Amino acid sequence: MTEIASPQANPLLAGLKMRRPPDPCALTIFGASGDLTQRKIMPALYSLAMRGLLPPRFGIVGVSRTEMGVDEFRERMRRTVLDHARDEFRTDVWERLSEAICYVTADFGVEGGEEPLVECLNGLDERRGTAGNRVYYLAVPPSAFDDIVVALGRSRTTEGWTRLIVEKPFGRDLTSAQELNELIRGHFDEDEIFRIDHYLGKETVQNMLVLRFANGIFEPIWNRQFIDHVQITVAESLGIEGRASFYEAAGAVRDVVQNHLLQLVALTAMEPPIDFAAESVRNEKVKALRALHTPGPKHVVRGQYGPGYIEGEEVPGYREEEGVAPDSQTETYVAAKLFVDNWRWADTPFYIRTGKRLPKRETTIAIQFKRAPHPPFEVDEEGGLRPNVLLIHIQPDEGVSLAVGAKVPGQGITIRTVHMDFLYGGSFRMGLPEAYERLILDCLLGDATLFTRADEVEEQWALVDAMVAPWRRDRPHFPNYAAGTWGPPAADELVHRDGRSWRRH
Ligand code: BG6
């Protein structure tokens, strides 16, 4: 094992070891000419190559229906790395990676459409020693899954291992997700299936597990007796970025609540796993998801943005975005009050919210503790004695901060809230890896801990189906919040009714 950082540079990094290198293998990307490959997958592969984390015997095959030669594909990928990678561009790293790249034009909708791919992969086994080990990455719209999965199933051999990465959206409701699970499991075992929720690849999301389960001080107070409520916010200032055809059919509830937000709820609410093995962690998450109580219509608020201003710039309303119906009923904002029906959390609300075109990009988990039972001081009107809040900054400004009351220096007792902060950037002084780097590497290593299991995805859909069922009966008054504001007034009422308020930003 090699040490990956010099202790002189930063003592917090002393003694860190690299995990074992992945087996030789070939990674096939379906949807190679698409947005995800360009913005996330290829830049992540480059960053892994830069750190020497890819297997020495490795091949990448881009597959799509677009006619293109390998040189053109490599050139496109080079440009994409230049534009989107988090690391500086190094010619030596790129050249080594580029040699591993092939491109295949294929249409899996036609009989025998997979043959050019099979040929290419066999060639890689011979030339680059990829040993029959295969990772297939489905970065295509769900409508293309069926043909590809069936063809891959047909062309499976007994040589080497096979893994399948499936991008979201995984279905559009419980029934379609179950059908998709059934289709995939007809050809792949559950331990060969890696369903991506890229939030799980974020360092700060994984740190949630470390914070809770590697520190003895939190577990005794992580429950209904000490915690008043939890607020989880996934706010974005961006709009739909030209993805109208996808977003019109998805909306905020399917795009973000069903996956990222509910995963954050599960990680906050779950019981301690007995170890960090994939099945142990996922067993506990699924139990938490199963315990979620379906929120009634009064506990769910939806919104859609109208025109407004983001950082001083005028932006159009959702209905004016290109490709969006002028009377669109699609929600771009959702807030809800959830309950986890178990001994740890009974009667403790989990308020969740997500939206596009909110004033800023911010994902946080705020654990608000109960107030001190009896303040033995006189509390001034202005500062007051606020409850303690443990704030987990998922992004940006990644870190954790604890709000505590402190005495203002001087005469008498005046209390103000101050923050004890841990910032990743300040402590570790290194850039955080992109979620896709971690997830692709874990899949190459065969570690499914940070991927969602079939039963988790189905539980998430069951809740979302129940949340949206009443929506079929009424037409909301959209737009109901201006771009650049914190969502519709009804979202504030949702928490004000309980005598609480959303965290101030
Ligand atoms: C994606 C959604 O899954 O997550 C997007 O489809 C959203 O609509 C994105 O913008 C947010 O991811 P991140 O990593 O930027 O918070």
Side-chain angles (χ1 to χ4, degrees), residues 56-130:
R57 289 184 282 144
F58 188 54
I60 300 170
V61 188
V63 180
S64 88
R65 279 191 288 208
T66 314
E67 288 282 350
M68 189 173 8
V70 65
D71 290 337
E72 186 184 344
F73 182 64
R74 286 179 180 170
E75 177 50 23
R76 279 196 193 190
M77 294 302 108
R78 190 182 71 84
R79 266 185 273 127
T80 236
V81 167
L82 270 169
D83 290 347
H84 299 291
R86 71 178 170 111
D87 294 307
E88 53 164 345
F89 187 83
R90 270 182 36 196
T91 313
D92 57 326
V93 175
W94 172 250
E95 277 172 3
R96 245 178 301 126
L97 186 65
S98 160
E99 280 167 16
I101 298 179
C102 315
Y103 181 78
V104 170
T105 309
D107 183 354
F108 278 68
V110 299
E111 181 76 29
E114 71 277 13
E115 274 156 26
L117 172 64
V118 173
E119 226 169 85
C120 173
L121 288 169
N122 291 341
L124 278 176
D125 286 346
E126 278 172 29
R127 285 198 319 280
R128 298 188 62 89
T130 43

Side-chain angles (χ1 to χ4, degrees), residues 252-301:
V253 79
R254 291 186 173 83
D255 187 35
V256 171
V257 175
Q258 186 272 341
N259 34 74
H260 311 326
L261 251 172
L262 289 183
Q263 282 293 323
L264 296 181
V265 171
L267 290 167
T268 310
M270 70 191 268
E271 293 300 312
I274 51 162
D275 54 34
F276 204 56
E279 292 321 304
S280 315
V281 173
R282 301 193 295 182
N283 285 345
E284 296 307 333
K285 276 200 291 162
V286 85
K287 273 193 239 163
L289 290 167
R290 219 167 265 156
L292 283 176
H293 185 94
T294 303
K298 276 207 200 121
H299 291 171
V300 182
V301 172

Side-chain angles (χ1 to χ4, degrees), residues 40 168 198-199 202 234 236 238-239 241 243 246-247 255-256 259-260 356 361 363 395:
K40 298 288 180 189
K168 74 179 266 270
H198 79 277
Y199 261 59
K202 291 183 191 274
V234 177
E236 294 183 274
L238 290 174
E241 297 176 280
R243 295 194 302 156
F246 159 74
Y247 202 85
D255 187 35
V256 171
N259 34 74
H260 311 326
K356 298 272 187 204
R361 175 172 186 249
T363 300
Q395 65 189 22

Side-chain angles (χ1 to χ4, degrees), residues 360-413:
K360 61 175 179 175
R361 175 172 186 249
E362 179 191 297
T363 300
T364 49
I365 303 175
I367 314 289
Q368 178 155 333
F369 292 92
K370 292 191 171 164
R371 283 175 188 281
H374 168 71
F377 335 96
E378 268 191 35
V379 171
D380 68 326
E381 293 274 300
E382 204 191 312
L385 192 57
R386 300 234 182 89
N388 299 110
V389 178
L390 182 70
L391 187 62
I392 296 144
H393 296 265
I394 305 289
Q395 65 189 22
D397 306 328
E398 290 82 356
V400 179
S401 112
L402 179 66
V404 292
K407 180 184 174 306
V408 178
Q411 284 190 5
I413 301 257

Side-chain angles (χ1 to χ4, degrees), residues 237 309-314 359-361 484:
S237 56
Y309 291 85
I310 301 273
E311 287 176 3
E313 249 184 58
E314 197 169 1
K360 61 175 179 175
R361 175 172 186 249

Side-chain angles (χ1 to χ4, degrees), residues 459-493:
E459 285 299 334
Q460 292 170 187
W461 275 122
L463 187 90
V464 162
D465 280 2
M467 270 168 81
V468 304
W471 295 0
R472 276 184 228 116
R473 292 192 291 269
D474 57 16
R475 287 178 73 79
H477 295 291
F478 282 166
N480 59 356
Y481 70 99
T485 64
W486 281 104
D492 291 328
E493 284 151 30

